[in-house]
């Protein structure tokens, strides 16, 4: 069958193929090289936040670059305590597998970002968030996703650390009271950029082969 005519505004087939390849090769990276990240490339990645969708055009994302030894040590201790608690909570059959997993690149990643949602921002005038206030956090997730893909296109790996006490991290970083942690990101050049997710290759879980969609 011959392909139909391109719709106005559609990107070229070659670009769409590359976009699909980019999304397929996006991985959660935990093993980083310690070499510094090119600052111009990092700036381009951070600029992707500015093109992300946000409810009511509220742009509620707030990014803290965690750089000082004190801040990094506090974040790492936070992770290690939360990870130990999570390990203790595993069943006997899963504990050995859990202990084998590398769940953070915080010791090596040269760039670490704490991404918060400003729950009290006046920007956007509450449009879309009055009925669903969680939309502000979803907007931050969308921005992180754009950052993640942009970083991958720049040859950078990103790891999203969620095994943390978010309130403790907020206190340690001294952020305003209305900010909620959405993601702690480790960024740098990856030791390897594997095709398959590490959790899949380690046998923790299996990815779906298709997306179930129901009609109602």
């Amino acid at each position: 069958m011959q392909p139909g005519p391109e719709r106005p505004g559609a990107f070229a087939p070659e670009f769409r193929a590359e976009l699909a390849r980019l999304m397929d090769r996006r991985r959660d990276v935990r093993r980083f090289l310690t070499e510094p990240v090119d600052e111009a490339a990092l700036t381009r990645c951070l600029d992707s936040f500015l093109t992300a969708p946000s409810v009511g055009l509220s742009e509620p994302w707030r990014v803290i670059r965690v750089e000082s030894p004190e801040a990094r040590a506090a974040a790492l201790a936070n992770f290690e305590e939360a990870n130990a608690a999570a390990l203790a909570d595993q069943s006997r059959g899963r504990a050995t597998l859990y202990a084998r997993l590398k769940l953070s690149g915080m010791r090596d990643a040269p760039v670490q970002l704490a991404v918060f949602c400003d729950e009290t921002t006046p920007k956007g005038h509450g449009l879309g968030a009055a009925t669903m206030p969680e939309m502000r956090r979803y907007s931050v997730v969308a921005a992180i996703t754009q950052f993640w893909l942009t970083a991958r296109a720049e040859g950078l790996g990103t790891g999203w650390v969620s095994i943390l006490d978010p309130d403790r991290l907020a206190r340690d970083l001294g952020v305003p009271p209305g900010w909620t942690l959405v993601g702690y990101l480790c960024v740098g050049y990856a030791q390897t950029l594997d095709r398959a997710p590490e959790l899949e290759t380690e046998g923790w879980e299996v990815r779906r082969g298709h997306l179930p969609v129901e009609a109602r």
Side-chain angles (χ1 to χ4, degrees):
M1 179 182 295
Q2 293 295 320
E6 294 292 333
R7 298 289 297 174
F11 286 84
E14 295 80 9
F15 175 86
R16 298 199 296 267
E18 284 293 281
L19 177 60
R21 190 166 75 94
L22 172 63
M23 291 188 289
D24 181 62
R25 300 300 173 88
R26 180 215 56 79
R27 292 276 70 82
D28 193 339
V29 175
R30 288 94 181 247
R31 293 175 171 82
F32 293 93
L33 302 175
T34 56
E35 67 181 90
V37 167
D38 178 72
E39 287 294 323
L42 180 61
T43 296
R44 290 192 291 271
C45 296
L46 289 169
D47 282 348
S48 68
F49 275 77
L50 303 177
T51 60
S54 64
V55 63
L57 198 56
S58 58
E59 299 182 311
W61 40 78
R62 306 290 182 263
V63 182
I64 301 293
R65 187 165 177 175
V66 183
E67 288 193 299
S68 73
E70 296 78 13
R72 288 203 175 191
L76 179 60
N78 187 332
F79 163 77
E80 290 179 339
E81 290 181 30
N83 193 45
L87 173 60
D89 199 42
Q90 297 297 314
S91 66
R92 179 174 297 182
R94 302 288 290 184
T96 301
L97 176 55
Y98 185 94
R100 194 169 71 232
L101 299 175
K102 182 173 175 56
L103 299 174
S104 157
M106 296 169 74
R107 289 188 177 277
D108 297 321
V111 175
Q112 297 182 32
L113 307 171
V115 185
F116 291 85
C117 175
D118 184 352
E119 308 280 7
T120 60
T121 180
K123 197 171 189 299
H125 307 284
L127 178 63
T131 50
M132 294 181 65
E134 64 271 22
M135 285 300 296
R136 291 195 183 99
R137 298 186 197 181
Y138 297 161
S139 299
V140 178
V141 172
I144 289 174
T145 300
Q146 289 201 173
F147 173 91
W148 205 332
L149 291 172
T150 305
R152 182 63 186 86
E154 292 279 357
L156 291 166
T158 303
W160 189 329
V161 182
S162 59
I163 306 172
L164 290 163
D165 180 334
D167 295 333
R168 173 178 166 181
L169 186 69
R171 290 192 301 271
D172 287 339
L173 295 180
V175 302
W179 292 16
T180 301
L181 181 70
V182 175
Y184 191 96
L185 307 181
C186 294
V187 184
Y189 299 108
Q191 292 182 17
T192 60
L193 285 168
D194 299 321
R195 179 82 178 269
E198 185 172 338
L199 293 181
E200 183 177 30
T201 58
E202 290 288 348
W204 182 260
E205 191 52 273
V206 178
R207 278 193 295 178
R208 287 175 172 169
H210 69 282
L211 175 66
V213 178
E214 295 185 19
R216 297 290 176 91

